[in-house]
Amino acid sequence: MTKENGFTVRDIENIFQLKEKINSRQTLLNMEERKEIPQAKRVARGKLEQRVWSLSDLVEIGSKLSYLEKPKRQEILVVNISKGGTSKSFTTLSLSRLLALSGIKTLVIGLDIQKSFTKYVQQEQEIEDISDIKSEDLGLYHLLFEGATLEEVIKPSDIPTLHYIPETNELNLLNKRLNLETRKEYLFKDKLLPKLKDYQVIIFDTAPSFSSLIENAMVASTVLISPISCDVGCYQVLQDYITITEEFFETMRIAPEHYLMPTLLDKNKISQQIYGAYLNQYSDKVIPIGVKRAVIAQEASVLRKSIFEYDPTSSLATDLAESFKEIWKRIIKSEVNN
């Protein structure tokens, strides 16, 4: 279900959940007639014609009709948890693409030496001969320490409002270099963020660890999102992770919002019990929607799409949409309160 021929009225209704609030089909047609959204192409379907919009058209439509409100300040999100295999990078992929489709200019910065996020967005090289091997992209290290420009480092995605800084092999070198800097935890905040004022949302997708790279991202952040899988391994490490992060926040005198997002919820007894424990033990932080495990996530990620583009009517799309709506509602509320 790849939408290679464009997005129909029904697709748009499902992606932005329009049926919940408006007579969505007629509203879209009226907006198109008034030229408030791009004109759809007409594609023959038998004897009938069907309206279809492109991915870039979808951004203009989403900027008017998405359930995600544009932020009033630049939001810096860090997606991090100390355990691997929690659907962290897929969460980043889905959230960043949904924000971008909502007309919110978004930048993802990868901080995982395994290049987890970059693999989701970057076209793979087809290598049949050693001469086919291309030089690696420039990355964060080159921008901060080797004089590379933003234009050389920041890469476009297939969505006009979504850019990314790819993970490169120099991330380990960058981590070591940070340890030699004065105010080593503040380099991103002091020297990176001032270069990125054009973005409404910046998302750091991190490794499952606690390094100088991640400390820098957290000091720069307004929000920490932790995907917590509903399994024994994550449940066992979660309290220690929360303690470590809270001690770090206190030491650095920062106070980002911290949201726990339950993921990979299974139907078995132990997974359901762990989900219940998350709700009871961490009620002040947890997002009370369990995102169920689904093979369809792998299908979407192989195609480098969010689940909302790939199959917006799936249960996974519904779970993620509800989780993101709740997180975003809290972020916007925090903006108002602060």
Side-chain angles (χ1 to χ4, degrees):
M1 191 180 299
T2 59
K3 314 302 180 192
E4 292 176 354
N5 297 319
F7 296 85
T8 66
V9 170
R10 181 171 294 180
D11 293 330
I12 293 170
E13 287 177 327
N14 291 327
I15 289 170
F16 297 118
Q17 299 186 348
L18 301 184
K19 290 181 180 179
E20 296 183 3
K21 55 184 179 183
I22 59 175
N23 181 353
S24 48
R25 180 178 181 82
Q26 193 58 50
T27 296
L28 280 172
L29 301 185
N30 291 342
M31 292 177 72
E32 182 192 29
E33 184 177 351
R34 295 193 298 266
K35 298 184 178 179
E36 295 173 0
I37 61 173
Q39 297 291 298
K41 292 181 180 179
R42 268 58 173 179
V43 177
R45 294 285 190 270
K47 295 181 179 180
L48 301 176
E49 283 190 334
Q50 186 175 43
R51 287 175 170 84
V52 294
W53 285 269
S54 69
L55 192 62
S56 58
D57 292 337
L58 208 61
V59 173
E60 293 190 50
I61 296 169
S63 68
K64 295 179 173 64
L65 295 176
S66 174
Y67 50 82
L68 296 186
E69 181 181 342
K70 289 182 174 61
K72 296 176 177 61
R73 66 185 183 194
Q74 187 182 61
E75 294 291 347
I76 315 297
L77 315 184
V78 175
V79 182
N80 177 258
I81 185 68
S82 58
K83 182 183 178 297
T86 65
S87 199
K88 176 184 59 62
S89 291
F90 184 72
T91 297
T92 299
L93 177 72
S94 299
L95 177 56
S96 63
R97 290 186 72 88
L98 180 60
L99 289 166
L101 290 175
S102 300
I104 297 170
K105 194 170 182 182
T106 303
L107 174 70
V108 179
I109 302 175
L111 295 180
D112 187 350
I113 192 61
Q114 300 299 319
K115 305 180 182 180
S116 299
F117 183 80
T118 301
K119 291 174 183 176
Y120 280 148
V121 293
Q122 197 171 62
Q123 295 296 321
E124 293 183 5
Q125 298 180 29
E126 292 188 10
I127 299 174
E128 297 181 357
D129 185 84
I130 192 170
S131 61
D132 295 330
I133 301 175
K134 300 176 183 178
S135 298
E136 192 179 52
D137 287 324
L138 301 180
L140 205 54
Y141 177 81
H142 306 91
L143 178 65
L144 291 172
F145 292 110
E146 292 201 344
T149 65
L150 289 179
E151 291 74 19
E152 291 175 313
V153 171
I154 293 178
K155 305 298 179 184
S157 75
D158 57 339
I159 304 177
T161 42
L162 177 61
H163 297 163
Y164 68 100
I165 296 179
E167 292 134 317
T168 68
N169 293 329
E170 288 80 11
L171 281 175
N172 279 331
L173 181 59
L174 176 59
N175 189 61
K176 292 179 180 178
R177 180 68 180 267
L178 288 174
N179 290 324
L180 303 176
E181 294 291 308
T182 305
R183 285 170 54 88
K184 64 178 183 176
E185 299 91 353
Y186 290 86
L187 189 73
F188 288 1
K189 185 172 184 178
D190 293 344
K191 295 186 178 181
L192 178 61
L193 293 190
K195 300 176 185 287
L196 305 175
K197 292 181 179 179
D198 289 343
Y199 293 95
Q200 294 168 284
V201 175
I202 297 170
I203 305 177
F204 288 97
D205 187 64
T206 67
S209 61
F210 211 84
S211 64
S212 292
L213 291 171
I214 294 168
E215 289 177 351
N216 262 265
M218 287 186 176
V219 168
S221 72
T222 56
V223 176
L224 171 60
I225 299 173
S226 297
I228 50 172
S229 54
C230 297
D231 57 39
V232 173
C234 191
Y235 178 73
Q236 288 176 323
V237 303
L238 182 56
Q239 185 54 61
D240 286 343
Y241 172 75
I242 291 174
T243 300
I244 290 170
T245 55
E246 288 181 346
E247 288 176 353
F248 178 73
F249 294 164
E250 184 177 352
T251 299
M252 303 309 298
R253 298 182 181 179
I254 58 175
E257 301 292 327
H258 188 186
Y259 304 127
L260 305 176
M261 180 179 163
T263 61
L264 303 180
L265 176 62
D266 285 318
K267 294 181 180 179
N268 62 62
K269 180 180 178 181
I270 187 65
S271 186
Q272 294 289 329
Q273 286 180 331
I274 288 171
Y275 174 56
Y278 288 158
L279 296 178
N280 291 328
Q281 295 174 23
Y282 307 107
S283 58
D284 59 327
K285 299 181 185 298
V286 75
I287 302 301
I289 297 103
V291 179
K292 291 179 282 296
R293 187 187 300 274
V295 174
I296 199 171
Q298 298 174 2
E299 298 172 7
S301 62
V302 165
L303 295 172
R304 299 174 174 83
K305 300 295 182 185
S306 70
I307 192 62
F308 310 111
E309 300 156 83
Y310 182 67
D311 189 354
T313 62
S314 64
S315 61
L316 178 58
T318 300
D319 290 346
L320 280 174
E322 292 306 307
S323 292
F324 292 157
K325 278 196 286 188
E326 179 62 26
I327 289 172
W328 205 246
K329 180 178 72 175
R330 296 187 189 191
I331 289 173
I332 296 300
K333 183 179 179 181
S334 178
E335 288 184 341
V336 173
N337 292 339
N338 295 326

